Amino acid sequence: MDIKVVRGDVTKTKVPALIVNLFDGVKEPGGATGAVDRALDGAITQLIDEGEIKGKKGEITIIHTFGKIGPSRVLVAGLGKSESFTRDTVRETTAAACRRLRRLGISEAATIAHGAGVGGMDPADSGQAIAEGATLGLYRFRNYMTSGEDGAGVPGSGGPGSEGPGSEGPGSEGLKDLSIVEQDQEKAASLAEGVEKGSVLSQVAIMARDMVNEPANVMTPTRMAEIAAQVADEEGLDIKVLDREQMDEMGMGAFMGVARGSDQPPKLIVLEYRGDPDNPSNNLGLIGKGITFDTGGISLKPAGGMEDMKGDMAGGASVIAAMKAIGRLKPRINVVGMVAATENMPGGSAQRPGDVVKSMSGKTIEVINTDAEGRLVLADALYYARQMGVTRLVDIATLTGAIVVALGHACSGVMGNDQELVDQVIESGASSGERIWQLPLYDDYREQIRSNVADIKNTGGRAAGSLTAGQFLAEFAEETSWAHLDIAGTYFSDKEKGYLVKGGTGVPTRTLVDLAIKLGRRE
Ligand code: BES
Ligand code: MN
Ligand code: ZN
């Protein structure tokens, strides 16, 4: 999909459709919507008076213009109450309007810069949000639909499954051109900057969605490593991929304990971006859980809904995708992206409940439940990142079902040992429209994971399941500044909502990129 900024008068632009907007309760539209209303001899005002247009969030009214003005149709998109207007409103409104246009079979449209006029929003933020809303909202995963245009993917036979994610096609079919029309030259320049950034961010979020949506027979640890290698190649990053033998040798007993049950070779993927080579201490480590399928292992999960566990590598996917954007946008900070990729399978060599494994840190772990595998692979990855010299860690993991009980699908959870870093993560989430809520890590939770036979055990009972998991990770982050994101409730959407569609959400890819950019400015 091509999104561009053009200077001109919206009422004169010759396009099949123009998107304008209206706040809830406004009787006389101002700005660009007002100009369109006047050119249409008050058609919008009249529909407001008649109660057909209310400006409610999500509402879309289509007016045919019959040659009166340049655009053949005007879509009036409701923005909701002006008090609750944010960048996410722009993303959601744009997504809904673009999907409606696609359903109508319209391939080319124009839009006004939502928020950049009366809304008082920075035009760059508006441009970014429009690009993100359009691209993410139109996304579809159809790699295996053999009847449609995009389809014909057969796993393992060189179909789209082996082409790699992030391709333009499926996400943009239908609506191909979107022009943001703006009179003012300065605003237009700033909008264009935002569009550029938003395009990069939404493209990488789509890359993460694709990886989550791919079935586990395609998105193996090996495939994830291949994608990471492609990212490294395209963006000039360093890459290192450790295999089972190397990790065994390095003493990653916690990670290898999980990998034992699977015939798929595990991979520890390490991507490195050097944005501040003269200041090695100015760094950030992004550590992703990459369980390409979580059966639970010997502590086998029930069958119902187990297919969603193909997305248990969503944290890792967001890390690889974020590294691509970081390589592209070049913040002044050094970033290590690490993915601990393996299946969690109940094979003949699988670890058993009661087994004791020795982590790379030297700490021994009693494996009470083989389904608490994420924290095991992350324990070794966190320790390895620290050994590499990373001094600021953010891990991202679909770690616990308990976070879904606590927070539902409305936000991700965050815990950490450094309030400043936690606050920065939350702030980046807020500006990206990927909400994050903090949970506590009290010392009390440590007692729940005390073992009778080893230094620590991998589960802490039913109480505070997300927090005992967080506390477990804390024992491996130790004194290093660290924040942990539990995305088990947000990596996947079972309905179309705003700019989310069914399937992988790409969360928290855009947040991670925003964090790297903001940290790069602070140092
Ligand atoms: N990958 C799961 C957590 C999960 C659940 C992710 C639902 C996405 C949606 C994780 O590995 C897991 O199985 N956690 C267990 C931990 C328990 C055994 C202590 C859980 O949450 O039940
Ligand atoms: Mn599990
Ligand atoms: Zn898992």
Side-chain angles (χ1 to χ4, degrees):
M1 160 144 187
D2 191 26
I3 304 168
K4 53 183 185 297
V5 179
V6 298
R7 281 189 61 204
D9 179 344
V10 283
T11 63
K12 302 215 166 73
T13 313
K14 286 238 174 297
V15 275
L18 169 71
I19 306 165
V20 299
N21 64 44
L22 189 77
F23 279 116
D24 191 349
V26 170
K27 292 281 175 222
E28 279 169 38
T33 307
V36 172
D37 183 43
R38 283 189 297 281
L40 288 173
D41 302 321
I44 299 176
T45 324
Q46 196 181 327
L47 287 166
I48 296 171
D49 286 341
E50 287 167 3
E52 196 165 323
I53 301 182
K54 298 189 178 68
K56 293 257 180 267
K57 201 168 159 188
E59 170 196 277
I60 291 171
T61 312
I62 300 177
I63 303 170
H64 288 257
T65 64
F66 302 107
K68 232 178 208 175
I69 60 172
S72 317
R73 300 170 190 76
V74 173
L75 270 73
V76 185
L79 296 177
K81 297 275 182 215
S82 58
E83 306 91 79
S84 50
F85 179 74
T86 64
R87 276 170 276 188
D88 231 32
T89 317
V90 178
R91 290 187 193 99
E92 288 172 356
T93 304
T94 305
C98 288
R99 275 202 296 258
R100 173 67 77 86
L101 290 168
R102 179 170 66 190
R103 244 180 286 141
L104 292 170
I106 292 170
S107 63
E108 188 197 348
T111 181
I112 64 170
H114 307 295
V118 200
M121 184 177 278
D122 180 346
D125 288 339
S126 171
Q128 182 183 337
I130 289 171
E132 292 177 358
T135 314
L136 295 171
L138 288 171
Y139 170 79
R140 283 192 287 206
F141 182 77
R142 300 205 300 195
N143 284 7
Y144 301 101
M145 301 292 192
T146 56
S147 53
E149 282 167 52
D150 323 305
V154 180
S157 74
S162 55
E163 256 172 58
S167 58
E168 264 278 274
S172 53
E173 190 220 332
L175 186 59
K176 289 196 172 62
D177 281 292
L178 182 65
S179 307
I180 306 176
V181 185
E182 173 58 52
Q183 285 273 23
D184 184 89
Q185 180 169 3
E186 235 172 86
K187 272 193 187 173
S190 170
L191 276 165
E193 243 172 71
V195 167
E196 182 58 37
K197 187 176 173 193
S199 297
V200 172
L201 286 167
S202 45
Q203 267 165 34
V204 299
I206 279 179
M207 182 182 172
R209 285 182 180 184
D210 275 338
M211 283 192 255
V212 167
N213 290 334
E214 283 288 350
N217 58 331
V218 172
M219 197 50 55
T220 58
T222 303
R223 182 78 197 110
M224 287 188 86
E226 281 168 14
I227 293 168
Q230 196 180 328
V231 166
D233 187 49
E234 287 164 358
E235 309 304 334
L237 312 178
D238 288 336
I239 184 166
K240 180 168 61 186
V241 178
L242 304 183
D243 61 18
R244 199 191 295 261
E245 204 179 42
Q246 290 166 300
M247 290 188 279
D248 265 329
E249 215 160 88
M250 292 166 72
M252 296 192 175
F255 187 173
M256 290 305 97
V258 176
R260 289 173 61 102
S262 170
D263 288 340
Q264 282 292 336
K267 305 284 175 190
L268 183 67
I269 304 162
V270 187
L271 285 165
E272 268 187 274
Y273 162 78
R274 292 193 178 81
D276 193 5
D278 299 333
N279 292 302
S281 67
N282 174 25
N283 66 58
L284 170 67
L286 303 173
I287 319 295
K289 169 176 172 180
I291 301 295
T292 60
F293 197 78
D294 183 10
T295 66
I298 294 299
S299 312
L300 196 64
K301 286 182 183 296
M306 205 205 274
E307 65 278 6
D308 287 354
M309 285 302 114
K310 72 175 181 179
D312 210 21
M313 32 55 74
S318 75
V319 169
I320 294 172
M323 290 304 287
K324 181 170 177 69
I326 289 166
R328 186 73 62 86
L329 298 171
K330 303 198 181 342
R332 215 179 63 222
I333 183 169
N334 305 305
V335 188
V336 172
M338 194 180 287
V339 183
T342 178
E343 290 184 327
N344 185 24
M345 296 285 280
S349 305
Q351 66 180 346
R352 298 144 287 256
D355 281 5
V356 174
V357 295
K358 187 170 192 165
S359 68
M360 191 183 181
S361 74
K363 285 187 180 152
T364 56
I365 305 165
E366 182 187 9
V367 179
I368 298 293
N369 189 320
T370 64
D371 198 12
E373 84 296 342
R375 65 199 76 179
L376 294 173
V377 304
L378 287 171
D380 280 336
L382 286 167
Y383 186 82
Y384 182 53
R386 288 171 58 212
Q387 211 188 42
M388 280 179 65
V390 176
T391 54
R392 195 199 265 128
L393 291 161
V394 177
D395 79 69
I396 308 96
T398 45
L399 204 65
T400 65
I403 203 77
V404 190
V405 176
L407 303 175
H409 306 287
C411 61
S412 306
V414 65
M415 287 141 256
N417 60 11
D418 174 352
Q419 194 55 44
E420 194 186 353
L421 179 60
V422 168
D423 288 340
Q424 286 161 343
V425 169
I426 291 171
E427 188 195 313
S428 286
S431 38
S432 308
E434 299 178 330
R435 280 183 300 216
I436 298 166
W437 192 260
Q438 187 177 6
L439 297 138
L441 281 186
Y442 297 122
D443 276 347
D444 307 49
Y445 304 127
R446 216 186 261 158
E447 285 162 37
Q448 284 177 243
I449 50 175
R450 199 164 282 155
S451 163
N452 295 323
V453 299
D455 296 334
I456 193 170
K457 60 182 179 183
N458 79 332
T459 59
R462 266 183 52 80
S466 302
L467 312 181
T468 49
Q471 187 57 49
F472 182 94
L473 296 177
E475 306 291 325
F476 296 86
E478 290 184 291
E479 71 284 352
T480 306
S481 172
W482 157 81
H484 155 62
L485 273 166
D486 194 335
I487 58 166
T490 51
Y491 77 105
F492 198 86
S493 179
D494 49 21
K495 53 178 186 285
E496 189 177 282
K497 184 172 182 281
Y499 50 92
L500 300 184
V501 297
K502 280 183 189 175
T505 59
V507 169
T509 307
R510 290 179 299 113
T511 298
L512 300 178
V513 181
D514 187 81
L515 178 69
I517 292 173
K518 284 183 177 148
L519 290 174
R521 282 196 203 122
R522 278 189 185 105
E523 294 283 324

